[in-house]
Amino acid sequence: MAQNAKRRRRELARQKYLRQQARRVDKARRNRAVGLVVLAVVVAAALVGGTLLISGAFDDVGDDTVAASNDTSPEATQTAAAGACEYRASGTAAVPDLGTPPVPVDSATLPTTATLTLNGSPVTIQLDAAGAPCTVNSLAFLASAGYFDATTCHRLTTSDTLKVLQCGDPTATGSGGPGYEFDNENTDGATYPAGTVAMANSGVDTNGSQFFLVYGDSQLPPDYTVFGQITSGLDVITGLAADGTDNGLEDGAPLEPVTIDAVATAA
């Protein structure tokens, strides 16, 4: 009975998230429509006045935007800006009945901050929705369903070149995931200084729910999606890491168990 009640709460949370995303997308669409009307008025005024405002306004459009699509319709521009997110079934979900995050993804509607409560202390993360929209969308989806609540951060590394706390696996085994995977993002030239938040993976384009919090400058290849930066609470993680691992080595479970009490995202 308790398991059924918990599953029901997760499903209700998931449905709430989907409704919130639908409202955000609708609001963004209305805002874009208003913007197009304002632009039309400005262009008309420019033509009447004999100025070149229309040329100046479009000089700021970068080559990347042009290369993304030859279709200049508002719908095509929106799709190119949003980024294509594909969430593929993979493995067995650590928590059942979640499904996959909603698509398409519009970075303008995604949350900009996340707060992880670790052993009762908050850690605030500035999310990079523009650079890693699929990752942020997945994080928000899982957080809204309570996927991370009361889960254990299963790995701590303490070497001179790798200082990370790895979390996001409800099974605390290092092999658990949400039942789907998605591609890497934001890895070109990626570095991992203290405060970086990035996705753990088992190979290229195998992101799921596990992520790591970098509490000291670390040397890693640019193979891990960077999706946020810790803005407050880094000292919480360094404090938890100070006791080292339970095996006395540089890689193991934290000696002091680390629990994610909750993850909350906000616009």
Side-chain angles (χ1 to χ4, degrees):
M1 294 294 291
Q3 182 64 27
N4 289 338
K6 184 177 181 180
R7 188 173 300 175
R8 176 60 176 165
R9 287 195 299 270
R10 291 183 186 279
E11 177 59 23
L12 290 174
R14 176 177 178 271
Q15 292 175 4
K16 179 180 178 182
Y17 174 74
L18 294 175
R19 290 194 299 271
Q20 288 174 336
Q21 283 298 94
R23 288 195 294 269
R24 288 169 179 166
V25 169
D26 183 62
K27 181 179 179 181
R29 186 180 296 114
R30 292 197 304 270
N31 288 343
R32 279 190 291 269
V34 171
L36 288 173
V37 171
V38 173
L39 177 60
V41 172
V42 172
V43 169
L47 291 175
V48 170
T51 69
L52 296 177
L53 286 179
I54 187 167
S55 297
F58 285 93
D59 283 346
D60 292 333
V61 177
D63 293 337
D64 290 343
T65 304
V66 175
S69 174
N70 290 324
D71 187 346
T72 58
S73 68
E75 293 79 10
T77 302
Q78 177 183 347
T79 301
C85 297
E86 179 186 1
Y87 301 102
R88 304 175 294 274
S90 176
T92 301
V95 177
D97 301 329
L98 289 183
T100 56
V103 292
V105 176
D106 184 346
S107 61
T109 70
L110 293 174
T112 59
T113 62
T115 300
L116 280 63
T117 304
L118 301 179
N119 288 9
S121 298
V123 175
T124 304
I125 299 168
Q126 183 70 37
L127 299 173
D128 186 0
C134 303
T135 305
V136 172
N137 184 53
S138 175
L139 177 78
F141 171 75
L142 295 174
S144 71
Y147 178 90
F148 300 108
D149 296 358
T151 61
T152 300
C153 294
H154 61 277
R155 184 185 183 195
L156 176 70
T157 65
T158 61
S159 71
D160 291 339
T161 58
L162 185 62
K163 297 181 182 297
V164 304
L165 176 66
Q166 188 167 328
C167 312
D169 174 9
T171 71
T173 64
S175 60
Y180 62 84
E181 66 180 14
F182 56 98
D183 292 350
N184 288 357
E185 300 178 284
N186 205 29
T187 55
D188 289 348
T191 58
Y192 305 89
T196 301
V197 184
M199 293 298 293
N201 62 52
S202 57
V204 178
D205 299 336
T206 59
N207 300 289
S209 61
Q210 295 187 40
F211 58 90
F212 57 91
L213 308 165
V214 183
Y215 66 91
D217 294 350
S218 296
Q219 297 176 16
L220 287 165
D223 297 334
Y224 306 95
T225 296
V226 175
F227 68 94
Q229 297 291 325
I230 296 171
T231 56
S232 67
L234 186 61
D235 58 322
V236 173
I237 303 171
T238 56
L240 293 169
D243 289 335
T245 63
D246 63 353
N247 59 17
L249 303 178
E250 294 179 339
D251 191 338
L255 178 62
E256 179 183 351
V258 180
T259 299
I260 297 180
D261 302 315
V263 177
T265 61

